[in-house]
Amino acid sequence: MCGIVGYIGNRNSQEILIEGLKKLEYRGYDSAGVAVFTENGLQVKKAKGRLAVLESQLVLTPLNGTAGIGHTRWATHGKPSDVNSHPHTDNSMKFSVVHNGIIENYMSLKEELTAKGHNFVSETDTEVISHLIADIYDGDIVAAVQKAVTRMTGAYALGVLTEYEPDKLVAVRLASPLIIGVGEGENFIGSDIPAILEHTRNVFILNDNEMAVLTRDGVDLMTLEGNFIAREMFRVDWDIVTAEKAGFDHFMLKEIHEQPKAYRDTMSSRISPEGDRITLNELSMTPEYIKDINRVHIVACGTAYHAGLVGKSVIEKLARIPVEIDVASEYRYRSPIITKDTLVIVVSQSGETADTLAALREARRCGARVLAITNVVGSSVAREADDVITTWAGPEIAVASTKAYTSQLIAFYLLGLHLAQTLGSQTPEFIAEVITAMRHLPEQVETILGQAETIKAFAEEIAVHNDLFFIGRGLDYAVAQEGSLKLKEISYIHSEAYASGELKHGTLALIEEGVPVIALATQRDLLEKTVSNIKEVKARGAHVMGIGVEGEEELKKAVDTMFQIPKTLDVLSPALSVIPLQLLAYYASLARGNDVDKPRNLAKSVTVE
């Protein structure tokens, strides 16, 4: 997944594709490629690394033609490499595809096509699409694409070319953004508006289960069933910087709003078609090994550490295995007790965090098996770990992590359920219940995002303060620590998170008239005690905002302001309750006039110890 651009017209497509891909570089990528119709047929050039690598190859052997597709890849299935880069083709080199998203059933399709004689050369799910279309094709590329997508489950934005019909470029969308640019005697596709903004400001925005057929002379929009769609064209009046942010004011806000998609992408292909089991096929841990695990160590830094706090609780609750959690920079120096029966889980958004890498190497040296949770395929952490769960959040530009953190939570839920299945520590009925609730999380996050104005109003109130406190119990305390860090990172308000029950052991001395307190109370078995703690700070003059589950009247009576999250299982509440805290930090930073995306003194990837 990452950046798509396509062109059909009368100009040299190679130049337009490369320039379009450059406009998408801000999204992050690990390889790039183009496919162009030339006088010698469909030709493909692709390379691992930056666009400059691909450009240098195209200088030596240019692809001259007036129709083509291009892609910058952020690896999901298969490490970054030339062969795994897009575009992908079939064996005949007559069909070429670029793809953003994930094809969940690609393995079964691959097995079916292999049995028919198709030979696959990459590790990707995308290559299956080109072979599938080639297998179906009977003279009509539009019909072939329509039939192919009915066989595919998952999420996709597709650009498709075939040498048999060089006057057409076919685009399809399901749950992954895709836009169509309309010019004079030329038309474009792009995963983001910046890719085409230099050439046209007239666009159609494809909705889910819609496709477009582009020729030099026009664009036909239609449903996947072939019914034509009449739609008003959208005129883009953004500048290029705003366009990169998809119309949002900041990358952080854009990435907060991308979390429903990140949830779906990270979990969807790892849930069985029946929806009652977890299928972590990427793990090589045998059932025998899992049954011998006697302890788990979770090691991470910063926001990833806070995801690990939730992961500790999830694994202990679901799998009933004792879990220790460490800040990575401290792990090596406390001489941790590590044996061959210790599973060490390292968590890193970038996969290059120096402290986490050092902890991973120490664990391996001591004989432990290491499982990595990371957002970057082919990163150092991913390469050196024994097993990897990739979080498919996509590139994250803002320094303050949002969608990478919540995708790490989803990874921990998947892992906890996988361990529980293997060990029999939970009933199949309970596991199915958790999975069902997980599948509702994306739409529930969308509900929360729709109430952002409530959070914004409270954020503007707290923006004038220099000190603030977060409190919570159990999983709420873990989320409170992430909420506090997020606020500190970008608003520069001094903030601390405390376990609610610890207030009476010293922290109450800091509570004075008017001090803001954010109280998380989503855990039903702890609600009564948390409300009691809220009353303690209220009695000393605190102004309290409660984060609770909809319908909790007892909490509503105890606080000054309340934000309600949709009902879910208690164990899953962190995936919802953190969203208003991210928005709180964002709007507080905005109110104080800070650079939201680039907070002072901080870097996105910390590669020094």
Side-chain angles (χ1 to χ4, degrees):
M1 64 173 70
C2 208
I4 288 175
V5 63
Y7 174 77
I8 185 165
N10 297 302
R11 291 189 283 163
N12 187 314
S13 63
Q14 175 185 300
E15 295 175 5
I16 293 170
L17 297 175
I18 293 297
E19 290 305 312
L21 293 177
K22 285 181 179 179
K23 297 297 192 300
L24 300 177
E25 283 191 288
Y26 70 93
R27 295 164 59 91
Y29 64 101
D30 50 55
S31 56
V34 295
V36 174
F37 285 129
T38 73
E39 60 183 12
N40 296 316
L42 187 59
Q43 300 288 307
V44 177
K45 188 75 69 174
K46 49 189 186 175
K48 175 185 173 182
R50 310 306 293 173
L51 266 169
V53 178
L54 177 64
E55 278 191 281
S56 65
Q57 295 182 8
L58 291 170
V59 168
L60 296 174
T61 54
L63 303 182
N64 296 313
T66 57
I69 50 178
H71 193 269
T72 49
R73 179 178 187 252
W74 173 276
T76 54
H77 295 68
K79 63 186 179 182
S81 68
D82 291 355
V83 73
N84 286 334
S85 305
H86 297 213
H88 284 284
T89 60
D90 70 311
N91 294 142
S92 71
M93 290 288 292
K94 302 294 186 184
F95 297 84
S96 187
V97 173
V98 289
H99 166 226
N100 281 351
I102 296 163
I103 306 304
E104 297 169 15
N105 62 333
Y106 84 101
M107 282 303 298
S108 60
L109 291 172
K110 188 174 184 178
E111 290 168 2
E112 175 189 326
L113 291 164
T114 300
K116 290 183 172 183
H118 291 258
N119 296 313
F120 291 83
V121 298
S122 78
E123 304 168 89
T124 69
D125 55 338
T126 302
E127 189 185 359
V128 169
I129 304 171
S130 56
H131 286 265
L132 180 61
I133 293 171
D135 191 69
I136 293 171
Y137 185 75
D138 62 358
D140 185 341
I141 186 59
V142 176
V145 171
Q146 289 169 338
K147 290 175 184 176
V149 296
T150 65
R151 301 286 315 282
M152 293 156 33
T153 58
Y156 42 80
L158 302 177
V160 183
L161 293 175
T162 178
E163 188 175 311
Y164 295 118
E165 299 179 57
D167 58 339
K168 291 178 183 174
L169 168 56
V170 180
V172 189
R173 171 190 169 152
L174 175 63
S176 194
L178 197 62
I179 57 103
I180 310 299
V182 180
E184 294 185 9
E186 59 185 7
N187 293 296
F188 311 79
I189 66 170
S191 54
D192 249 348
I193 286 172
I196 65 170
L197 197 54
E198 182 180 337
H199 306 290
T200 182
R201 290 182 174 270
N202 297 319
V203 303
F204 292 116
I205 299 174
L206 285 187
N207 296 321
D208 283 350
N209 295 306
E210 292 182 351
M211 64 188 300
V213 182
L214 289 71
T215 65
R216 290 168 178 80
D217 300 322
V219 174
D220 287 328
L221 304 182
M222 63 184 72
T223 66
L224 295 183
E225 293 75 31
N227 299 316
F228 288 95
I229 300 168
R231 177 167 300 149
E232 187 175 345
M233 200 176 297
F234 174 65
R235 176 74 180 176
V236 179
D237 56 7
W238 308 333
D239 60 27
I240 189 67
V241 174
T242 305
E244 288 177 352
K245 298 168 187 171
F248 291 99
D249 290 336
H250 297 90
F251 282 112
M252 181 179 178
L253 187 60
K254 175 177 180 280
E255 288 156 9
I256 288 172
H257 281 262
E258 287 174 341
Q259 287 174 117
K261 181 179 185 301
Y263 283 28
R264 290 186 184 101
D265 287 349
T266 299
M267 76 172 80
S268 58
S269 65
R270 288 145 170 170
I271 295 173
S272 68
E274 299 76 21
D276 59 354
R277 288 184 61 80
I278 299 300
T279 56
L280 285 177
N281 294 325
E282 61 262 55
L283 300 187
S284 61
M285 292 186 290
T286 64
E288 292 72 26
Y289 168 78
I290 290 173
K291 290 171 183 176
D292 285 339
I293 297 172
N294 60 19
R295 66 167 66 86
V296 173
H297 291 176
I298 298 175
V299 187
C301 303
T303 286
Y305 172 80
H306 295 151
L309 290 172
V310 176
K312 167 183 164 63
S313 183
V314 167
I315 292 171
E316 288 184 338
K317 285 176 183 290
L318 297 179
R320 307 306 298 157
I321 302 172
V323 181
E324 300 174 25
I325 180 164
D326 279 88
V327 174
S329 57
E330 296 292 325
Y331 185 66
R332 288 181 296 157
Y333 305 112
R334 73 170 180 87
S335 299
I337 299 172
I338 301 172
T339 71
K340 64 180 179 61
D341 298 322
T342 304
L343 174 63
V344 176
I345 303 173
V346 297
V347 190
S348 170
Q349 182 271 331
S350 68
E352 302 296 343
T353 310
D355 290 320
T356 305
L357 264 172
L360 181 157
R361 290 163 182 162
E362 175 67 8
R364 297 276 322 256
R365 188 186 68 81
C366 294
R369 188 183 191 93
V370 177
L371 166 64
I373 296 176
T374 182
N375 198 40
V376 182
V377 175
S379 62
S380 297
V381 161
R383 291 196 308 271
E384 296 187 31
D386 297 288
D387 290 288
V388 183
I389 298 177
T390 306
T391 56
W392 291 326
E396 194 175 62
I397 308 300
V399 167
S401 178
T402 52
K403 63 176 181 174
Y405 165 81
T406 48
S407 296
Q408 289 163 359
L409 298 189
I410 299 299
F412 273 117
Y413 292 134
L414 295 169
L415 177 62
L417 290 167
H418 175 73
L419 295 175
Q421 282 174 184
T422 305
L423 296 170
S425 55
Q426 303 294 335
T427 66
E429 292 76 17
F430 177 73
I431 289 171
E433 180 186 3
V434 176
I435 293 172
T436 298
M438 283 178 65
R439 296 176 79 168
H440 288 301
L441 290 174
E443 63 196 60
Q444 291 177 318
V445 172
E446 289 167 351
T447 298
I448 294 172
L449 294 173
Q451 304 172 57
E453 288 300 314
T454 303
I455 295 294
K456 182 180 180 181
F458 190 77
E460 290 171 348
E461 289 179 26
I462 69 168
V464 300
H465 292 267
N466 292 319
D467 297 282
L468 185 142
F469 299 96
F470 289 78
I471 60 174
R473 286 176 176 262
L475 282 169
D476 286 331
Y477 176 43
V479 176
Q481 292 179 73
E482 172 59 13
S484 177
L485 175 62
K486 212 52 60 212
L487 189 71
K488 281 182 280 200
E489 279 182 306
I490 61 172
S491 77
Y492 316 145
I493 296 172
H494 170 249
S495 169
E496 300 294 340
Y498 292 98
S500 304
E502 284 293 290
L503 289 169
K504 55 188 174 290
H505 297 294
T507 309
L508 277 176
L510 297 174
I511 303 298
E512 56 187 5
E513 190 69 33
V515 67
V517 173
I518 313 297
L520 284 89
T522 69
Q523 304 297 296
R524 283 170 294 185
D525 58 340
L526 295 168
L527 181 61
E528 183 179 340
K529 294 187 181 299
T530 303
V531 168
S532 176
N533 300 139
I534 290 170
K535 290 178 179 178
E536 289 175 342
V537 297
K538 283 279 291 177
R540 289 154 178 84
H543 183 75
V544 181
M545 178 183 190
I547 307 289
V549 177
E550 58 187 5
E552 289 293 356
E553 294 302 317
E554 184 180 359
L555 176 63
K556 192 173 184 179
K557 293 174 185 175
V559 300
D560 297 292
T561 304
M562 182 170 171
F563 187 90
Q564 298 182 332
I565 64 171
K567 289 182 179 178
T568 189
L569 299 177
D570 284 8
V571 72
L572 299 179
S573 68
L576 299 179
S577 61
V578 74
I579 308 297
L581 302 188
Q582 294 170 346
L583 290 168
L584 183 76
Y586 171 78
Y587 286 118
S589 177
L590 204 62
R592 289 166 73 96
N594 298 339
D595 186 338
V596 173
D597 288 332
K598 297 178 181 177
R600 67 191 184 199
N601 305 329
L602 300 179
K604 185 63 181 171
S605 181
V606 184
T607 55
V608 295
E609 187 181 2

